[in-house]
Amino acid sequence: MAFPLAIPLAAAAGGASLLFRQLFDADTGTFSYLLADVPSRNGLLIDSVFEQHARDLSLIRELGIQLVATIDTHAHADHVTGSWLMHEATGCGIGLAAAANAENVSIPLHHGDQIFFGARFVEVRSTPGHTNGCISFVLDDKSIAFTGDALLVRGCGRCDFQEGNAHALWNSIKGQILSLPDACLLYPGHDYNGRAVTSVVEEKLFNPRLGGKATERDFAGYMENMKLPHPHRIAAALPGNMRSGMPREFASTANWAPISFSYAGLPELVPAWVALHLDELTILDVRSREEASGCDGCIQGSLLIPLPELEARINNLPKDKSIVVVCHSGSRSALATQKLLEAGCTQVANLHGGINRWQAEGYPLEGVTTPA
């Protein structure tokens, strides 16, 4: 039995042929979006966030998605894109409006372009006004659009820097976004009030800046008198995004082990690496004493500290070796790993799949007994 099993992507997609995930960065109020064509497992990541790279990569790997490209709606002023990091990790393309003139872009995007992922695609629509290089992405069947900062839920992007222009934004929203079918769902680049999605018909009726009977003159008068402070991360975000998120001084810092992070955010190791480095590690078994001495057996040299006793005995753990935490399936050991991290342990990881996976992949156990 091989671990991990390829997840049935159709089930993860709720039975649909398209998988869709909305992700959120609380620090910047930024939404990122993962799309995947279920039959081919090809996907796109929209408006990724540098600091959320590990989370996003873990989700992509857990779902078994082959990322075609990471694409941005514009060169952001409030966060740095994770595009370059994702390219380094997966080999995917980097897509951004050609008008942004950013470095490291392998897919310069123009109005009318189609970005395919498997049998599906998103259409690129030029929607300048917030910035000169703003674009929106419309799903092939026009059921969903990703509007970046051009159109927000009951709002829109500001127009007072990065070649912003209120009249251009009015024309972009009216001509390229609100011209979509009324039932088209609109997913914004940001929200700070818990609003994750809207629709064309809602924004036509209720957007206070441009909905209802508002005219272009009304809209421009509103936008040109907002007097907002500049985004507080603009000094770092804009230069970073003009490099597609590539750090100025990128160095591959060797970790103590080839750690991967689960979508839950926990550091994990696979049995193959652990088996090769047993002498260098503390294998912390957090099962009960009855389990450790029972039919499952234990990994050679394991230190047994049952999970209920762990917090009281953390200070007794060896300080000279990194810690790999194990249990039967990797569930209780995940909780133990979290507790160790919270206690300040830095070189610690969970054994993915636990002793169950260890044994299934053919690695030896000590003290295995056969139930009567």
Side-chain angles (χ1 to χ4, degrees):
M1 183 178 180
F3 286 83
L5 294 173
I7 186 172
L9 198 58
S17 62
L18 179 77
L19 179 133
F20 172 64
R21 291 288 185 272
Q22 184 180 49
L23 305 164
F24 187 63
D25 177 63
D27 285 345
T28 61
T30 301
F31 288 115
S32 302
Y33 301 95
L34 178 65
L35 302 175
D37 172 54
V38 167
S40 69
R41 291 183 176 264
N42 288 346
L44 296 175
L45 182 63
I46 300 172
D47 284 343
S48 60
V49 175
F50 188 95
E51 289 81 4
Q52 297 293 349
H53 169 70
R55 176 201 68 184
D56 297 347
L57 181 61
S58 297
L59 178 60
I60 288 163
R61 287 177 171 168
E62 287 181 5
L63 295 178
I65 292 170
Q66 179 64 45
L67 200 63
V68 173
T70 175
I71 55 180
D72 280 282
T73 54
H74 61 297
H76 310 277
D78 45 18
H79 73 274
V80 176
T81 177
S83 287
W84 188 84
L85 291 178
M86 196 61 72
H87 164 74
E88 288 292 294
T90 69
C92 69
I94 295 176
L96 183 69
N101 294 313
E103 300 173 7
N104 302 309
V105 173
S106 58
I107 311 173
L109 299 173
H110 302 85
H111 181 76
D113 286 350
Q114 295 176 340
I115 310 170
F116 277 85
F117 55 108
R120 307 301 299 266
F121 68 86
V122 294
E123 174 197 349
V124 177
R125 294 199 174 191
S126 179
T127 50
H130 171 59
T131 75
N132 195 41
C134 276
I135 51 180
S136 296
F137 302 113
V138 180
L139 192 62
D140 45 27
D141 61 4
K142 295 183 171 58
S143 62
I144 294 174
F146 303 93
T147 58
D149 287 10
L151 182 64
L152 306 175
V153 180
R154 306 300 192 268
C156 62
R158 59 195 293 177
C159 302
D160 56 341
F161 63 94
Q162 286 184 274
E163 300 179 309
N165 182 282
H167 298 282
L169 185 57
W170 169 270
N171 290 326
S172 293
I173 295 172
K174 289 290 187 175
Q176 299 299 329
I177 299 175
L178 297 186
S179 61
L180 291 165
D182 280 355
C184 180
L185 297 179
L186 305 177
Y187 288 90
H190 293 278
D191 194 82
Y192 309 100
N193 296 290
R195 299 169 300 193
V197 62
T198 184
S199 64
V200 168
V201 69
E202 288 175 76
E203 297 309 310
K204 281 182 176 179
L205 292 173
F206 304 124
N207 192 302
R209 303 183 187 184
L210 49 84
K213 301 295 184 180
T215 65
E216 182 176 349
R217 182 179 61 201
D218 297 325
F219 179 73
Y222 185 112
M223 299 304 297
E224 291 168 0
N225 287 281
M226 292 182 71
K227 309 299 182 186
L228 296 172
H230 272 23
H232 71 278
R233 299 191 184 191
I234 189 171
L238 278 181
N241 288 320
M242 294 308 292
R243 300 188 301 273
S244 298
M246 179 180 179
R248 286 191 184 279
E249 297 180 3
F250 178 76
S252 180
T253 303
N255 288 317
W256 62 274
I259 298 290
S260 62
F261 286 85
S262 70
Y263 188 45
L266 287 176
E268 295 184 328
L269 287 168
V270 296
W273 186 89
V274 174
L276 288 173
H277 297 83
L278 277 179
D279 293 342
E280 306 161 25
L281 303 168
T282 293
I283 305 298
L284 175 62
D285 192 331
V286 296
R287 296 174 298 163
S288 68
R289 289 181 175 80
E290 292 76 18
E291 287 177 280
S293 61
C295 61
D296 288 341
C298 58
I299 296 174
Q300 175 188 342
S302 297
L303 172 63
L304 178 65
I305 301 180
L307 182 58
E309 302 174 20
L310 181 60
E311 289 189 51
R313 297 177 60 185
I314 283 178
N315 291 333
N316 297 331
L317 290 170
K319 303 292 193 298
D320 58 339
K321 292 184 177 181
S322 301
I323 301 170
V324 176
V325 193
V326 302
C327 69
H328 175 257
S329 67
S331 175
R332 285 169 291 171
S333 56
L335 177 58
T337 300
Q338 182 178 334
K339 289 181 179 295
L340 291 173
L341 291 169
E342 291 171 352
C345 299
T346 56
Q347 295 191 359
V348 58
N350 186 34
L351 180 66
H352 185 260
I355 286 178
N356 188 32
R357 177 176 177 179
W358 177 275
Q359 185 176 37
E361 294 188 1
Y363 298 106
L365 292 167
E366 292 185 336
V368 176
T369 59
T370 303

